[in-house]
Amino acid sequence: MPARSGQLGRKLQDPTLQGLMLLAPAVLAYAVFAFYPMIDVIQLSFMKWNGLNADKHWVGLDNYRYVLHDDPVFWVALKNTLIWTFLSVIFPPLIGFGLALGLNQNIPGRSPLRALFYMPVIIAPIAVATMWRWMFDPFFGLFNSLLSAAGWPNLIQDWLGDRNVALYSVFIAYVWEVAGFSMVLFLAGLQGVSQTLVEAARIDGAGRLQLFRYVTLPALRPTITIVLILSLINSLKAFDIVYGMTGGGPAQSTQMLAMWAYTQAMQLGDFGRGSAISVVLLLITVAIVIPYLRWTLKRQEAYQ
Amino acid sequence: MQTSRKLRRVALLGAIATVVAGAASAQEVKVWTLTFANDSANKAWADIVKEFEAANPGVTIKVEGRGTDEHKSALRVASGSDQGPDIYFMWGGLGLGGEFVKAGLSLPLDKYYAEYKWDDELLSPALSFSKQYEGGRHGVPYTFHGEALYYNKALFEKAGITTAPATYDELVADAEKLKAAGIPAITFGGTVNWHVMRLMDMILETKCGVDKHDRLMSMKVSWAEEACATASFEEFHKWTSNYTLKPFMGIDQAQSFNLFLGNRAAMMLEGDWLVGQLKGENRTADFGLFPFPTGTDRLYGFAEYNYISSKSKVPDIAAKFLNYLESTDVQQKHLGDFGSISVNKNVKYTSTEPLDQKWIEIFGKFPSTFVNGDQAFPLDVTTEYFRVINEVASDNLDPKAAAAELQKFIGNRS
């Protein structure tokens, strides 16, 4: 008996076992709340189900065939999602980076400014949507009022009602909402830039631009990777702000894949098609994120 | 010793009986309904619940209100569990209401129709929807609404319009007069698809007539092959291009109403509930009302229903509450709060408000109704109908091609 308890004690000392024990609750939660639903959605994408009763039946690739061939909205939603993603990995990170560089300097009011620029991130997206919807109102909104006051009535737009500008109007609101998040990550990265290296480069006669190019930027490489990956994933599943501002309109011209999947399942009661769209979105995400991650890891290894 | 043991047992049994009796009498009825734009409806609900609870000790009515889309989604999510409502709001008819009945989520109410004699007490046109379903009567009429054209008296006068148009051609001529006077004839909110849809529904009834209109909406004939369907889209485009307050695709119905109140457009195609909203703004004197002159003998409108969930554990008390809600006294007391007309046929109309009187006249004038497109079509076709209408309204789709575009979607349905 004492020998057994000794064995158990030794086993518990094993770092691998300790690691597994610590991981177990998180793995269990992930399996139940993330992995299982993912598998369930994949399974549902091959079925016909209205979400209301027990009648679920297998239809093979019918949902995919419909979505890719007959659905009049799917390709518009896909195009919008790709445009949105492309813009999302450029503008919010760039603006966030600029803000971080500025707010990393020893300027007066630095802390309140950091809080101010981060504020939109913590506001509920639906509130952001409502606020910007009012600013974009064609009759009483801030933007058209400013354009009128400035004497540029020809620039007045139906910001959310004209299909040529609606998506970009919503994107402006999105940039305002998320740029602060990139800023905080970049600020954290900038804190990690070795001052020793900076001083050494200065002694070697490096100017501001050279310091940035050869010291700061390489040191920020892991942060840039994280910011771009998060921006990419968040943009691919863009939903709330579009839902709140245009609902996918006018005439589905601002529809997104994530929102269209939701619409098909939750509003039109076709969980098979909704799941098929979700699976397509998952495949697109994996197809973009995995190669990018592998590429950045290779580059990091080459630098080390 | 034995006596005290017996006493303890009796006391314990008594306590258990009290708890069980309390639990049995403490019944909660969950009602899921819409948060209505008309605040008087929300207040009326609060009063009715309070009165019913006072008359039925131990019963709690818990009302949850949501926006239209959120309400539909919440019902769908709750359908797979027993956490849903006992009573839920949904429109009457095979489109929206029918979906839930078909899925077995509505309790057949034949027993309660007989017990409470609702057929004797409620309006026949409103009741007709409860008979459309297979497997018995479903749902109880909550409101019966008509939709018509409200007009701004001052703007009509300014454009030289002295009488309400009696034909569609006269309506178009009036729209032209308004345009010539620099006044947009009508206002819509484009972000809520169903608002602009009303105009298309009306024009379809006008151009196609009763029979063809119904065959198109029930998808029994091809939209692509019916000349009147294409003509309707062309006529609809004429209205959105020439006579509608612009821009309208980026605003919702509430903003459109504010513009109407602000005298920015002459007409608004709305339901009888707008009278309540105009009363709230103290503006009823500024507006008149006439039915859209479709040339048919049908009023554009719909019925709203309350259904009892098939999963309800308290269907008897839920039916009792619905009976209270529909009762003559309650409907008389809250007349005008849910709409101009009550579903209870014993209600006496004493309103001196001209708009209310006009609605009562309209309801009495038309022998039958035709429902809104989003209640006639299945949900997926409704979504496509919205898209095609909006594409035409925003000049992105040639109205000549619109009917064929809609038919293409209908043809691809599995």
Side-chain angles (χ1 to χ4, degrees):
Chain A
M1 191 71 180
R4 256 191 211 176
S5 65
Q7 262 186 341
L8 187 66
R10 269 199 303 280
K11 269 187 185 170
L12 288 173
Q13 295 299 318
D14 181 8
T16 311
L17 185 69
Q18 285 178 346
L20 287 173
M21 281 167 69
L22 287 168
L23 267 177
V27 167
L28 188 70
Y30 183 81
V32 172
F33 296 110
F35 191 68
Y36 167 71
M38 212 185 296
I39 299 298
D40 201 42
V41 163
I42 293 169
Q43 193 185 353
L44 263 179
S45 72
F46 297 103
M47 292 180 156
K48 186 101 186 143
W49 184 46
N50 68 3
L52 288 172
N53 56 22
D55 180 30
K56 245 189 242 187
H57 58 274
W58 187 264
V59 291
L61 291 170
D62 275 7
N63 291 324
Y64 289 95
R65 201 173 295 119
Y66 175 84
V67 161
L68 298 171
H69 186 260
D70 297 330
D71 186 342
V73 179
F74 173 80
W75 291 102
V76 175
L78 176 63
K79 189 183 103 183
N80 287 340
T81 303
L82 293 176
I83 290 171
W84 185 277
T85 302
F86 176 73
L87 295 174
S88 295
V89 295
I90 296 172
F91 290 101
L94 266 181
I95 292 166
F97 190 48
L99 288 171
L101 283 175
L103 294 172
N104 199 41
Q105 307 302 315
N106 204 358
I107 53 168
R110 189 168 70 162
S111 296
L113 279 172
R114 283 178 181 180
L116 188 74
F117 286 120
Y118 187 69
M119 190 83 73
V121 180
I122 57 172
I123 298 174
I126 210 73
V128 172
T130 306
M131 201 166 76
W132 279 82
R133 248 181 66 191
W134 277 108
M135 288 199 279
F136 280 128
D137 185 280
F139 292 95
F140 313 110
L142 175 75
F143 297 111
N144 282 354
S145 301
L146 286 175
L147 288 168
S148 291
W152 296 324
N154 53 326
L155 293 178
I156 281 175
Q157 299 284 336
D158 184 9
W159 300 100
L160 300 175
D162 179 344
R163 67 184 302 134
N164 299 314
V165 295
L167 185 70
Y168 304 101
S169 301
V170 179
F171 183 73
I172 289 167
Y174 177 73
V175 170
W176 181 85
E177 184 192 14
V178 301
F181 180 68
S182 301
M183 177 198 78
V184 165
L185 290 177
F186 281 124
L187 271 172
L190 286 167
Q191 309 295 312
V193 177
S194 164
Q195 286 309 302
T196 315
L197 279 178
V198 172
E199 289 306 319
R202 278 208 182 111
I203 290 163
D204 287 345
R208 270 179 167 274
L209 213 62
Q210 285 169 312
L211 262 178
F212 176 74
R213 167 77 183 80
Y214 296 106
V215 179
T216 310
L217 216 51
L220 281 178
R221 195 160 278 118
T223 310
I224 292 169
T225 303
I226 289 166
V227 168
L228 289 182
I229 290 283
L230 290 175
S231 300
L232 196 73
I233 291 168
N234 285 336
S235 63
L236 279 165
K237 57 181 192 183
F239 177 98
D240 37 25
I241 196 152
V242 186
Y243 183 81
M245 284 181 76
T246 63
Q252 308 288 9
S253 64
T254 59
Q255 193 58 262
M256 298 284 186
L257 278 185
M259 204 164 92
W260 191 232
Y262 165 83
T263 305
Q264 285 285 346
M266 302 303 294
Q267 292 185 343
L268 306 186
D270 197 325
F271 278 74
R273 284 176 191 171
S275 300
I277 296 163
S278 299
V279 171
V280 171
L281 184 59
L282 175 72
L283 292 173
I284 291 168
T285 308
V286 167
I288 296 173
V289 171
I290 301 288
Y292 176 73
L293 264 177
R294 289 180 66 173
W295 177 72
T296 50
L297 282 171
K298 267 185 191 166
R299 285 191 68 191
Q300 273 177 28
E301 282 166 15
Y303 273 97
Q304 281 162 0
Chain B
M1 184 77 180
Q2 269 198 337
T3 314
S4 70
R5 212 179 272 173
K6 270 183 186 171
L7 274 172
R8 270 200 306 240
R9 272 186 200 162
V10 169
L12 183 67
L13 284 169
I16 290 168
T18 307
V19 169
V20 169
S25 66
Q27 292 176 303
E28 187 186 76
V29 178
K30 273 195 278 184
V31 182
W32 285 10
T33 186
L34 298 185
T35 307
F36 298 98
N38 183 354
D39 200 42
S40 62
N42 294 316
K43 283 181 186 151
W45 264 91
D47 284 350
I48 291 164
V49 165
K50 210 159 84 180
E51 290 158 7
F52 184 79
E53 286 175 346
N56 295 273
V59 176
T60 308
I61 306 290
K62 193 178 165 203
V63 181
E64 287 180 34
R66 293 178 180 84
T68 306
D69 287 341
E70 290 76 13
H71 176 69
K72 290 178 197 169
S73 297
L75 280 173
R76 199 172 285 287
V77 170
S79 68
S81 74
D82 57 359
Q83 297 304 305
D86 299 290
I87 295 170
Y88 60 90
F89 168 98
M90 194 47 67
W91 287 265
L94 297 174
L96 290 164
E99 188 198 5
F100 290 89
V101 174
K102 211 169 146 186
L105 294 169
S106 165
L107 185 76
L109 303 181
D110 304 65
K111 182 179 113 179
Y112 301 115
Y113 266 90
E115 183 182 342
Y116 292 114
K117 299 184 171 56
W118 286 329
D119 283 333
D120 298 337
E121 204 171 14
L122 306 179
L123 288 176
S124 294
L127 281 166
S128 64
F129 297 98
S130 70
K131 300 169 188 169
Q132 291 180 344
Y133 310 113
E134 283 174 28
R137 306 283 294 273
H138 287 268
V140 186
Y142 161 61
T143 63
F144 186 54
H145 288 298
E147 291 149 287
L149 283 165
Y150 289 79
Y151 68 95
N152 184 312
K153 290 174 183 174
L155 294 181
F156 261 44
E157 201 178 319
K158 193 178 166 187
I161 304 163
T162 50
T163 54
T167 66
Y168 180 72
D169 289 343
E170 283 179 23
L171 177 68
V172 175
D174 286 346
E176 274 297 336
K177 282 181 193 169
L178 287 158
K179 191 184 173 188
I183 302 161
I186 197 160
T187 177
F188 287 107
T191 60
V192 283
N193 305 291
W194 40 262
H195 204 214
V196 188
M197 176 203 71
R198 290 176 188 166
L199 178 64
M200 181 63 202
D201 287 349
M202 288 291 202
I203 292 171
L204 198 72
E205 174 87 352
T206 309
K207 293 280 168 192
C208 296
V210 171
D211 183 52
K212 213 167 269 184
H213 172 276
D214 288 356
R215 289 165 70 80
L216 284 165
M217 296 317 274
S218 58
M219 300 177 289
K220 285 177 180 152
V221 292
S222 168
W223 283 70
E225 287 165 23
E226 288 297 339
C228 72
T230 296
S232 298
F233 275 113
E234 286 176 302
E235 197 66 18
F236 169 77
H237 185 246
K238 191 167 95 178
W239 275 86
T240 55
S241 302
N242 301 318
Y243 309 132
T244 306
L245 174 61
K246 288 183 178 176
F248 66 93
M249 287 307 290
I251 62 167
D252 62 18
Q253 179 265 349
Q255 287 161 281
S256 159
F257 175 60
N258 285 331
L259 291 163
F260 184 58
L261 284 178
N263 308 322
R264 300 286 292 270
M267 289 184 282
M268 195 170 185
L269 181 46
E270 275 295 343
D272 53 283
W273 56 84
L274 200 79
V275 178
Q277 287 175 256
L278 291 170
K279 281 177 186 170
E281 301 287 338
N282 268 330
R283 294 284 307 277
T284 49
D286 300 335
F287 300 97
L289 157 75
F290 59 89
F292 193 105
T294 56
T296 70
D297 63 349
R298 301 199 301 181
L299 174 67
Y300 184 56
F302 56 89
E304 289 166 332
Y305 267 50
N306 283 306
Y307 297 80
I308 295 180
S309 168
S310 56
K311 298 190 174 198
S312 173
K313 293 183 176 67
V314 286
D316 291 350
I317 196 77
K320 191 180 179 183
F321 174 71
L322 288 181
N323 184 58
Y324 181 73
L325 178 68
E326 310 298 353
S327 65
T328 308
D329 289 349
V330 170
Q331 289 290 314
Q332 188 73 62
K333 184 181 171 186
H334 294 286
L335 185 61
D337 288 339
F338 307 123
S340 287
I341 195 161
S342 167
V343 289
N344 186 307
K345 59 186 175 193
N346 302 319
V347 162
K348 302 281 182 288
Y349 296 93
T350 53
S351 172
T352 52
E353 167 56 56
L355 289 175
D356 281 333
Q357 289 177 334
K358 184 69 188 175
W359 268 116
I360 292 155
E361 180 198 316
I362 290 170
F363 278 115
K365 182 182 162 188
F366 289 93
S368 56
T369 56
F370 69 102
V371 294
N372 296 37
D374 59 351
Q375 286 165 61
F377 278 136
L379 290 172
D380 58 332
V381 182
T382 294
T383 305
E384 180 63 1
Y385 186 49
F386 286 158
R387 188 185 72 85
V388 171
I389 285 170
N390 288 338
E391 289 280 30
V392 171
S394 40
D395 303 327
N396 292 304
L397 179 65
D398 183 349
K400 286 187 176 71
E405 182 84 2
L406 181 61
Q407 186 56 43
K408 189 173 136 192
F409 180 87
I410 293 167
N412 283 333
R413 290 179 80 226
S414 51

